[in-house]
Amino acid sequence: MNLKNCEIIHLRRIEDGNDGTISVAEEHRDIPFKTKRVYYIYDLDNASALRGKHAHKELEQVIFCMHGSYTLGLDDGTNQMDIRVEDPSMGVYLGPELWHTMYDFSDDCVLMVMASDYYNESDYIRNYDEFKNYLKNQK
Ligand code: TYD
């Protein structure tokens, strides 16, 4: 992918025909960090729902769409990309310093996020200009 600190993760699919499918996310094998926190996002029945709008200084995360679909907007400060996600076996790895937004959720959308650390508000950059300045100062 033409973006810094970002990659698509394809989990194995163990398919059992009419009995469904299993996808497996294992630490270090599929998820490139030790998961300290899992959170999920649901009740997205508002067509104008918009989440994210921030970057992290150090946190690493992988976002899965367990059900339904949504669009993930990504911006590493130089390049931008929108990804439509509707496959529960596909995760998106978000490393640090990546501005992200989530929008265009289907009513039944459920997102599940695996994170490398506990919630810490001081790791967030919630203002886009501040994000650009932060990147400049990191160089
Ligand atoms: P935020 O990370 O901004 O959500 P999103 O990226 O999905 O839009 O978090 C929204 C609010 O929820 C914020 O006030 C902090 C709180 N929160 C926690 O307390 N713990 C958590 O693990 C997360 C992810 C959020």
Side-chain angles (χ1 to χ4, degrees), residues 106-126:
S106 63
D107 284 357
D108 56 355
C109 181
V110 180
L111 302 183
M112 190 273 285
V113 185
M114 301 172 77
S116 63
D117 210 343
Y118 302 122
Y119 173 74
N120 173 12
E121 185 59 37
S122 68
D123 189 67
Y124 281 71
I125 306 169
R126 291 197 183 270

Side-chain angles (χ1 to χ4, degrees), residues 10-24 87-90:
H10 292 285
L11 299 182
R12 276 168 294 151
R13 294 170 61 92
I14 302 166
E15 294 177 5
D16 277 330
N18 290 342
D19 297 323
T21 300
I22 298 176
S23 284
V24 187
D87 174 356
S89 68
M90 180 187 132

